[in-house]
Amino acid sequence: MEKTFNPSEIEQSLYQSWEEQGYFSPTGEGDGYSIAIPPPNVTGSLHMGHAFQQTIMDTLIRYQRMQGKNTLWQTGMDHAGIATQMVVERKIAAEEDKTRHDYGREAFIDKVWEWKDESGGTIGKQMRRLGNSIDWSRERFTMDDGMSEAVQEVFVRLFEDDLIYRGKRLVNWDPKFHTAISDLEVENKDKKGHMWYLRYPLADGVKTAEGKDYLVVATTRPETVLGDTGVAVNPKDDRYKNLIGKHILLPLVNRLIPIVGDDHADMTKGSGCVKITPAHDFNDNEVGKRHDLPLINILDKNAAILASAEVYKNNGEPSTAYSTELPSEFAGLDRFVARKAIVAKFDELGLLVEVKDHDLVAPYGDRSGVIIEPLLTDQWYVRTAPLVGPAVAAVETGQIEFVPKQYENMYNAWMRDLQDWCISRQLWWGHRIPAWYDENGGVYVGRTEAEVRAKYTLSADIVLKQDDDVLDTWFSSALWTFSTLGWPSNVEDLKKFHSTDVLVTGFDIIFFWVARMIMMTMHFIKDENGQPQVPFKKVYVTGLIRDENGDKMSKSKGNVVDPLDMIDGIALDELLEKRTGNMMQPKLAAKITKLTKKEYPAGIEAHGTDALRFTLTSVASTGRDITWDMKRLDGYRNFCNKLWNASRYVLMNTEEQDCGKIVNGQQGEMEFSLADRWILGQFQQTVKTVHESFEAFRFDLASQALYEFTWNQFCDWYLELTKPVLFKGSEAQQRGTRHTLVTVLESLLRLMHPIMPFITETIWQRVVPLSNFVADDKGNESASIMVQRFPQFDESQCDQTAIDDLEWVKQFIVAIRNIRGEMDISPSKELPVLLKNVNANDQRRLDENQQFLSALAKLDSITVLADNDDAPLSATAVVGDLSVLIPMAGLIDKEAELARLTKAIDKLEIDAQRTRGKLSNEKFVGKAPEAVINKEKAKLADAESALAKLAEQMVQISAL
RNA sequence: GGGCGAUUAGCUCAGUUGGGAGAGCACCGCCCUUACAAGGCGGGGGUCACUGGUUCAAGCCCAGUAUCGCCCA
């Protein structure tokens, strides 16, 4: 073996061989265990968040596979409507100076597929490098044929069940992409703006209570006055309540609009009068509905002012309530240009009262970055009310559990206020809506045009045109768990693997995806008793991985990290190129360059996949975001190296030696040391902790237990304790220790494998032939570690006496090392040691472990003093009742020893003081449980006995 | 404004029925000891954000305050 672990040499070929052997596919034996990957967006590449979640998923899958389950990790990608279309549009603009309209719909979609084929591979490559044990043969894409069939089927059935309808409603309109987007794709941001106070003349000579012939309305969007169809005042507002039912003559358009009483008008804010524009504001839209105000649309798809308005009734039908005429001077002006023009006009007319600075919240499209415009359009909706009930109940009854629990509140809160879901998008890339229109606007829904004609008995001469719009990407994603398993055409796998066992995802996606998956799945998938099936039983919600400053990682900030750069390393200049090349906003490049140089002055070193995965599981405590810490990754790379070298030591001492392997039913005689018996027990405790931690999704605790055992027990103590045996022990003792070495290492590798697949496989292949582990039922020892059984807790291997004895041995050794360290005695200097107050148990332990003590504490002699023997002047430590003395002559300076003793005494005294205080408190002694009191008493006795011994030494030494 | 979360060593974080404050990294000292210097041995370091309450006992439970973050309106 190489002296240093080199991950790059092993990882890729191992993965390839696993994949070729078909180890990632379900075995067909055992209970089903499945996880559906949250499909990454096809436009992207994986970032640290993906690596984090996928490491957790793979750890679970590998663990369950080794537990004998029939595991399926289902993967795939999401077609990401807007994002993908945007990328390809930008590409053809840059490369060919063309728009999608130059291509036409079909040719453009071909172009997108072409792009998908070349770009979609990036993610697959990354996933493989992460070691993910995914069944690639079942990889799915939300736009592939099977998924499309499922989408169509769901749409048609929902329509038939009256759960889908079409309507003219106010939507979040993205004026850049010309499509509706959902509430969830809107980011509300704080912004500095203005509040304009406008004078609205009262009609018919009416006056306010104060005798004025106008009202003042306050608005942040003066350009929408052209669409006003009312003014609201609060019905309790004495200033204006007598005006309810009267009218305003709206400036600029001379439109007579009613004054209505509505609680929406807040008496304490602004003037207390609110202009109502039902076609351009969500709140106003609600007010309009309550008072049956018509809707006047004044904006086109670019959010520019129309030449003539569109007037609608509340049910979406055209209305003749108002003229469609608009002032020609504003026609075609963009909304923000129009705003200035309209304010100027009000000013000119003497109707602008004042302008104040105002903090407001503006909605931005999360993809386009432009301000979203509420716009009246025809869209398709899913009626959510009937779907919510079962979806909420599933969480209430525990059929679905969130980990951590607090996310259930978030889910419930969102479900409670759920609006109907707008599912149509005015894009080309996506599932086209299976609805056809005749020339009179009649709508027919069906799987195909032929089906529609048959179903509605439409004669061949009726011209039908399919809806141009496509479905929201999340509509197809909502079907993910069951459509990937073959629904609707094939339900065999559904029986085996659905419901999936756990969904691992970020909290930011609970609404987008998790809630919608639950609703859709429960509506369409029923178990054998006709009960709705949930898509997954557990939802493990991960926090975000933030950069080292605690900032969210994002492309625009340039702080995104490619997990492969952590694995393979990357030079600074390459990293800079990656972060600043091909940027949408080149002006940010300088800032990103600066930040990157500060964060990674020398680029990133290679760490390997196992170290990355171990880091990710180590930080996976539940319910909080993670601040990425490069030092942790460095530390766990060192850990890999430690494991590597420990294994190297084991192999150097066991390969081509008799390790007690059973051959032809014969096994050499073995004698086990205390250390052998101890390490087996320690290992079992680790096995137990790892199981418990995995079951509780506490990957951090599992990692910690593995780290602690491997480094602090196995390497620091056990390997050192094997040296005296291997160098000096009898044949049977050597065989016993070699046997224990290979047994523990072999099992430890299996225990670690779910988290660190590569290094464990590599070492295991070398170790397993030395052990008595039977690799599979067929006796095939060359099979992979990944298909072996996971270690199970075996209490019979926990020998409490061995554990106690070895703890004593450790304390003895540490006591001497402490004196050495504090007194600057060279570690190579062999020391004589004298012992006082040796009780029977100490004597037994001494007799049994002399070899260990001498070797690890570097002693040249151990002498037990009789009670009446005078000890020479010595440095002293206390182990239980035992005093350990190291003669000072020629080694130790008097002052130094006095200082050391003082320090030790002070420390003990503080503890003793506190314990004495407790025990002298009557209330404590009266009320605390006996066990606690006894523990305190024992603690005090120990401290006092140690104190007495040290104090005695103080006296002796200072007397000199 | 409503809800949720966080606040523990210099940094990043554990601390699960309330009962001796922990880890990794960083720091200090010694050591290239034949598995590992990506290492070994030893050591220092915390008013557990603050205030009050419950309790014999509070990092942990309760109430409130502050600061930071997230979600919703």
Side-chain angles (χ1 to χ4, degrees), chain A residues 127-243:
Chain A
M127 285 189 184
R128 285 176 166 87
R129 289 301 312 280
L130 288 168
N132 293 345
S133 58
I134 287 172
D135 184 357
W136 290 104
S137 69
R138 296 174 188 242
E139 183 180 3
R140 298 296 291 273
F141 179 51
T142 47
M143 283 291 283
D144 68 23
D145 291 345
M147 292 283 296
S148 299
E149 186 193 347
V151 167
Q152 209 174 55
E153 189 67 25
V154 162
F155 187 95
V156 172
R157 287 204 210 167
L158 286 174
F159 181 79
E160 286 167 353
D161 295 343
D162 192 32
L163 290 169
I164 279 184
Y165 64 91
R166 186 174 154 83
K168 189 180 283 293
R169 301 264 222 97
L170 215 50
V171 296
N172 298 302
W173 182 262
D174 188 318
K176 182 170 173 191
F177 291 137
H178 291 178
T179 180
I181 62 175
S182 82
D183 291 351
L184 297 168
E185 289 158 310
V186 174
E187 265 182 84
N188 292 304
K189 292 190 203 165
D190 291 330
K191 194 177 176 253
K192 297 260 180 239
H194 301 283
M195 183 72 90
W196 285 269
Y197 289 77
L198 306 177
R199 188 176 288 185
Y200 274 25
L202 289 159
D204 309 317
V206 173
K207 301 238 159 86
T208 65
E210 293 174 301
K212 291 180 177 151
D213 61 355
Y214 60 85
L215 292 179
V216 173
V217 298
T219 180
T220 57
R221 300 206 55 199
E223 68 278 16
T224 64
V225 295
L226 302 178
D228 284 1
T229 57
V231 170
V233 298
N234 195 293
K236 295 189 199 95
D237 194 333
D238 293 334
R239 294 173 294 178
Y240 312 118
K241 66 182 181 189
N242 63 319
L243 298 175

Side-chain angles (χ1 to χ4, degrees), chain A residues 643-886:
Chain A
L643 174 65
W644 183 259
N645 275 289
S647 304
R648 200 159 77 93
Y649 168 80
V650 172
L651 290 170
M652 278 167 52
N653 286 287
T654 53
E655 273 181 332
E656 297 175 25
Q657 310 250 27
D658 183 350
C659 302
K661 188 176 167 77
I662 301 169
V663 180
N664 302 325
Q666 301 290 306
Q667 185 176 27
E669 189 199 343
M670 292 192 287
E671 188 183 328
F672 295 104
S673 71
L674 171 66
D676 293 332
R677 286 176 283 130
W678 167 78
I679 197 69
L680 286 171
Q682 293 290 309
F683 178 71
Q684 287 306 321
Q685 289 305 323
T686 310
V687 170
K688 193 165 175 234
T689 305
V690 169
H691 274 283
E692 287 167 356
S693 305
F694 279 169
E695 297 297 338
F697 297 97
R698 287 301 303 266
F699 304 97
D700 56 333
L701 298 182
S703 306
Q704 200 193 357
L706 289 167
Y707 186 99
E708 217 282 328
F709 173 80
T710 304
W711 201 310
N712 303 123
Q713 308 302 334
F714 188 66
C715 292
D716 284 352
W717 287 102
Y718 182 65
L719 295 189
E720 295 306 318
L721 289 164
T722 61
K723 288 175 185 173
V725 180
L726 295 178
F727 299 158
K728 293 179 192 151
S730 70
E731 200 177 317
Q733 285 170 336
Q734 290 192 11
R735 194 179 290 116
T737 288
R738 281 192 213 109
H739 184 75
T740 310
L741 276 169
V742 296
T743 304
V744 173
L745 179 58
E746 185 280 320
S747 314
L748 174 62
L749 292 167
R750 276 183 288 132
L751 192 68
M752 281 179 168
H753 176 78
I755 297 178
M756 301 207 289
F758 294 114
I759 188 171
T760 52
E761 175 79 298
T762 306
I763 300 169
W764 190 80
Q765 292 297 341
R766 293 274 295 268
V767 174
V768 73
L770 307 170
S771 77
N772 279 329
F773 183 78
V774 179
D776 66 19
D777 298 340
K778 292 134 209 144
N780 177 8
E781 283 176 358
S782 63
S784 162
I785 190 175
M786 66 172 282
V787 293
Q788 307 306 327
R789 59 186 181 273
F790 201 70
Q792 303 297 318
F793 176 60
D794 176 2
E795 194 164 11
S796 72
Q797 294 205 36
C798 302
D799 177 342
Q800 194 57 46
T801 310
I803 290 169
D804 294 342
D805 284 355
L806 201 102
E807 278 312 313
W808 179 91
V809 169
K810 278 182 172 181
Q811 277 182 37
F812 190 108
I813 293 164
V814 168
I816 289 162
R817 284 176 178 172
N818 175 280
I819 292 172
R820 242 186 230 283
E822 298 273 291
M823 295 295 124
D824 283 352
I825 299 171
S826 156
S828 55
K829 169 86 184 164
E830 293 196 337
L831 299 174
V833 62
L834 309 173
L835 302 175
K836 265 166 65 176
N837 306 321
V838 179
N839 67 28
N841 208 21
D842 291 334
Q843 188 64 57
R844 174 184 63 80
R845 286 166 165 167
L846 267 179
D847 294 342
E848 290 172 4
N849 299 296
Q850 194 128 23
Q851 203 183 20
F852 287 151
L853 299 175
S854 298
L856 271 72
K858 268 256 167 177
L859 302 178
D860 72 359
S861 66
I862 300 176
T863 312
V864 176
L865 298 178
D867 289 347
N868 51 1
D869 280 353
D870 274 340
L873 199 60
S874 301
T876 310
V878 175
V879 178
D881 289 336
L882 182 71
S883 289
V884 178
L885 309 176
I886 294 172

Side-chain angles (χ1 to χ4, degrees), chain A residues 484-647:
Chain A
T484 53
L485 288 171
W487 189 92
S489 52
N490 185 342
V491 294
E492 271 312 296
D493 283 342
L494 215 54
K495 286 183 196 150
K496 282 186 226 156
F497 298 115
H498 204 274
S499 306
T500 67
D501 288 84
V502 51
L503 179 77
V504 178
T505 190
F507 73 93
D508 51 333
I509 222 145
I510 289 179
F511 308 137
F512 274 110
W513 191 45
V514 177
R516 287 165 177 174
M517 259 200 292
I518 295 173
M519 288 190 284
M520 289 297 214
T521 307
M522 293 184 78
H523 187 257
F524 283 100
I525 308 299
K526 312 285 174 175
D527 66 16
E528 54 273 21
N529 304 316
Q531 291 303 304
Q533 236 183 51
V534 295
F536 28 71
K537 297 163 200 156
K538 300 242 164 131
V539 183
Y540 176 85
V541 182
T542 62
L544 255 43
I545 303 233
R546 297 170 172 278
D547 77 1
E548 307 214 21
N549 299 315
D551 292 329
K552 200 166 157 175
M553 294 190 183
S554 75
K555 271 188 191 147
S556 59
K557 278 196 208 124
N559 57 354
V560 176
V561 174
D562 180 346
L564 292 196
D565 294 341
M566 294 290 170
I567 294 171
D568 296 330
I570 185 167
L572 178 63
D573 52 349
E574 264 179 89
L575 183 61
L576 286 172
E577 169 59 26
K578 211 163 164 173
R579 288 184 163 187
T580 59
N582 198 14
M583 286 196 59
M584 283 173 74
Q585 292 162 284
K587 62 183 172 180
L588 293 175
K591 206 174 150 193
I592 292 172
T593 301
K594 199 177 155 196
L595 180 136
T596 304
K597 280 183 174 167
K598 185 169 171 255
E599 205 95 309
Y600 303 106
I604 301 174
E605 277 183 60
H607 293 82
T609 300
D610 292 313
L612 175 64
R613 290 174 58 123
F614 201 88
T615 306
L616 292 168
T617 54
S618 295
V619 297
S621 64
T622 52
R624 69 189 280 167
D625 286 353
I626 290 150
T627 306
W628 179 253
D629 183 0
M630 208 61 199
K631 300 280 175 52
R632 293 287 290 262
L633 183 61
D634 291 342
Y636 294 123
R637 181 191 52 175
N638 295 353
F639 177 62
C640 288
N641 193 50
K642 188 78 179 174
L643 174 65
W644 183 259
N645 275 289
S647 304

